[in-house]
Every structure is written in structure tokens, then in C-alpha cells.
Amino acid sequence: MKIYNTLSKRLEEFVPIEEGKITMYVCGPTVYNLIHIGNARPMIVFDTFRRYMTYRGYEVNYVSNFTDVDDKIINAANEEGVEPSEISERYIKECEKDMQGLNILPATTHPKATQEIPEMIEMISTLIDKGYAYAASDGTVYYRTRKFEGYGKLSGKNIDDLESGHRAEKHALKVAGTEDREDDLDFVLWKPKKEGEPYWDSPWCEGRPGWHIECSCMSKKYLGDTIDIHAGGEDLIFPHHENEIAQSEAANGVPFAHYWMHNGFLNINNQKMSKSLGNFFTVRDIAGKYDLQVLRFFMLSAQYRSPLNFSDELMESAKTGLDRIKNAVSNLSDIEKDGADGDMTDAEKDAAAEAEKQKERFNEVMDDDLNTADAISVIFDLVKLANTTAKEGATKAFAKEIREEIEELGGILGLILKVKEETLDADIEKLIEERQQARKEKNFARADEIRDELLAKGIQLKDTREGVKWSRI
Ligand code: AMP
Ligand code: ZN
């Protein structure tokens, strides 16, 4: 497996710390609102990575947090006049619903920042003891950024360039009265409470942790000091991930993560989709229009590092594409019921061998830094093979083999392709029977009338060699 590592800025062969195992941390959402589809991109992409690596035989320990203490949560709570915990608990539940709809597996552990405060206080104390952090007179604890030699190694930023970029901020901070920060590059590890905010006791002041420290602590607690993979959206490279490295490596004295994976942005009109720009759709908005499988399919139609533009047209074409695969699976299932018994024909054996090769191709493209776009084309090739080979006289054995393969590869991408066996209301069943009878009696006028009647009820009929088939429209 080759992974593009943001740390080395090149494709690298993946070598786990422990054979057959992967420790992976993915930065999760801040829970103050329904998640938008940009937030869903890393969830879908890294869930697919996890599923694929599991399929390749790895045991994946997958940790993804919920940031449940943050200014945005406090603001939302103040607006509604409720406790911040009510906001965060509500939106964790809503996020879990969306994840289920998107067929994202629950993480091995989903830690919450507010449950890990003692660990954060401990790491901050270690950083102070080692000289990497200091408490200012108001109780704010800062990380001494210049002390960490590798600062900038992930984002490629030069510390002196950063310094000049921070002048305006430094001025603002002086006005705010925190001038005892030693250097304007120093970032916050712990901050004093403000009136009405949630707080915890600490050796420095009653207050709450900064954002970056939570991921360093949760990753250490649930996965260890050095992990295989740390992941998130590319906006997190700086400062969040850069700061996590500075904290973890200074505190633990060992490398933090061997591989850093970052997904590209989900854009709208070529601009990053984000809450602050107001140019977003929530996953819930999309669920009102489409099966969320369509959204998952859409996200995987691009390689995860490429920017991906969202539009109605692209969602429609994702729907058409997914339907094509599902229809092929449904046709193959029908042949499994009604097709020929016995061994595969020679032509089918050739096609089955070809399908086996496609499976290897699927692995090859997925091994190339998770190229899900090409993996989907492999599935389309199998669909083409199914549509051209599994025709009249096809055997049950062949249909089963190809269907299982399409479902297996789709399943690795987290796509549910099985068509649910639906039952129809008795009155609709009766109308279909009546139409069959009318056709038998060559009463085509009545047959057409019934067909239109069913169409008005949202049931479309198709006359096939295997008999009449119906679908919902
Ligand atoms: P946040 O709640 O803003 O911390 O974001 C949670 C996750 O979603 C992070 O990994 C972000 O990088 C990611 N994310 C936010 N917006 C987008 C976007 N438009 N495209 C892709 N990823 C995003
Ligand atoms: Zn994080």
C-alpha cells in the first residue's frame, strides 16, 4: 500500500509499527450544529481506508474524537439558553445518525474531550516540567513554540516567516492584556474560564483546555505514544496538526505519527464549503433528497486528496451511476433465482476469470494511495461484464459469482448494493395480476390502463423475458 505522507511530501510504502496492525487517529468534528457534507468527506474517506485495510487483513484500531468543549459550542448554548453539554450531546447523537446513514463504521473508540481533562492536565504539566510550556500570570498556559526544533516540519512553514505574519495578532493580544506571552508564536494549552463558561480545576487556574492538546492526549491514551497514521482534512495541517506534533513529541520524546493523511476540500463553486462562509449543505439536507449512499458514492468518485466540487448535476450523475450498479446486482439476483442450473458455460467461465482479474485491479488501484475513483471504474467494468454475459440462458452459478464479487468490492467502499426485497400492497399485487390476465386475453387497452394506474401510484412495470418486473419511481 502506498500512502501520500504529508510529513515527507511523497508517496511512501506503508509499513506498520506492528505487523498486521494499524493504529489510526482521525480528528473528528466540533459538535455545535449538524455536520455539513464537507465534514463528511474525511469521515467517508478514512472509513473507506479502514475498511480496505481490514479487508487486506489488518486489525485497525481506529480512534476519532468529538470536540465537545469549544467557543462555538458555548456560543450556541448561550443563544439557546441551555448548558453547553446539552448542545454537544445533542449534536453527537445527530452526528452518529448521519454517520449511520453514510454507512460509516463506529470508531473503535470515540473519545470526547470533556472526558479526558485529567490526561490533558498531566500532559501540560509534563510540558511545563520539560521547559516546553509556561503559565502566564493570569493562569493561561502557553506552548513555547520556538523551543520545539521540528516546528513547521509538517506544514513546511518556516518559523521566521510565521513570526512576521503574526505582528497584527501580537498587537491585538497586547491590547487584550496578555502581554506576558513570551513570543507571539506561542499557542494556548490551557485558558482561564470566562463568566458562564464550563471550567475545570487545574494547577494554573480554573479554566479549560486549548483545542490542540485534546488530540495529543486522546491519541496517546487510546493508541500509544507513536501511532501509524494521523488523519484529517487539509485545513488541519496548520496549525492544528503542527501543534499536535509539537506537543506530543516534546512530551513523549518519540515521533508522534509515522504517516499523515489529509483529504482535499469539498468545494462549492470552487470555494471551500464551510459553516463560516455559509455556503454549506448539511448531511441532513442531502438526506432529504437522496439516499445517503449516493453522497458516499459521490465522495468516493474522486481520489481523496483532490478537491471535489459539489453540484446538483454531479449528485444526479452519482445517483445514476449507483443505480446502474444496483440494477446489475438486482438482475444478477433474479438470474440466481430463475437462471439455468448446472455448471457455467465456457463463455461464462472466461468472464468469471476476467472478473477475478478485475479484483486484482481493484486492489492495485486502492493500493495506490486509495484511488477510489479508479476502484469505482473497476466496479463499472464488472457491471458491463455482467450486463453483456449474464443474458438469456445464463447460469445461476455465474450470476452468483459476479453478484458476490460486485457486492464484495462495493462493500469495501462501504456501499450497500443489495437491493432490498420489497413487498407490495395487496391491491397493487392484484392490479399487476389483473394486467397479466388482460394481456393474456389480448385486452391491451385494459392492460395499458392498469399500467398507467400503477404509474400514478409510483410503480413502474417492465415486461421482461423472465416475466413482469416492477420498480418504484
Ligand atoms: P471541524 O468540525 O471544522 O473541526 O471539521 C471536522 C473535519 O472536517 C476536519 O477534518 C476538517 O478538516 C474537515 N472539513 C471541514 N470542512 C471541510 C471541507 N469543506 N472539505 C473537506 N473536509 C472538511
Ligand atoms: Zn485533532
Side-chain angles (χ1 to χ4, degrees), residues 25-28 65 67 211-212 214-216 230-231 236 240-241 244:
Y25 186 96
V26 182
C27 291
N65 66 302
T67 296
W211 170 38
H212 315 300
E214 70 177 73
C215 290
S216 283
H230 195 115
L236 300 187
H240 186 53
H241 287 165
E244 280 188 42

Side-chain angles (χ1 to χ4, degrees), residues 15 182 245 250 259 262 296 328 346 356 415 461 465 469:
V15 184
E182 291 173 2
I245 293 177
Y259 301 85
H262 292 100
R296 181 165 185 127
D346 286 344
E356 232 3 80
L415 299 170
L461 297 184
R465 276 186 305 271
K469 298 253 173 79

Side-chain angles (χ1 to χ4, degrees), residues 28-40 43 66-67 72-73 76 80 86-99 102 273-276 278-288 292 295:
T30 306
V31 278
Y32 66 103
N33 210 327
L34 290 173
I35 59 162
H36 65 70
I37 57 177
N39 300 137
M43 291 179 183
F66 286 115
T67 296
K72 293 186 202 111
I73 298 171
E80 279 193 33
E86 190 174 327
I87 297 286
S88 57
E89 277 161 28
R90 182 195 308 157
Y91 289 111
I92 286 172
K93 280 210 189 82
E94 297 298 348
C95 179
E96 285 170 343
K97 268 190 225 161
D98 288 338
M99 287 170 67
L102 290 163
M273 184 177 285
S274 77
K275 291 247 166 78
S276 53
N279 59 350
F280 65 92
F281 291 105
T282 62
V283 170
R284 216 51 71 79
D285 292 334
I286 302 301
L292 286 179
L295 183 61

Side-chain angles (χ1 to χ4, degrees), residues 131 133-134 142 144 170 178-186:
Y134 57 95
Y142 292 106
R144 199 169 265 136
K170 186 169 184 175
T178 49
E179 68 268 30
D180 55 353
R181 184 162 74 154
E182 291 173 2
D183 187 312
D184 54 2
L185 287 181
D186 296 351

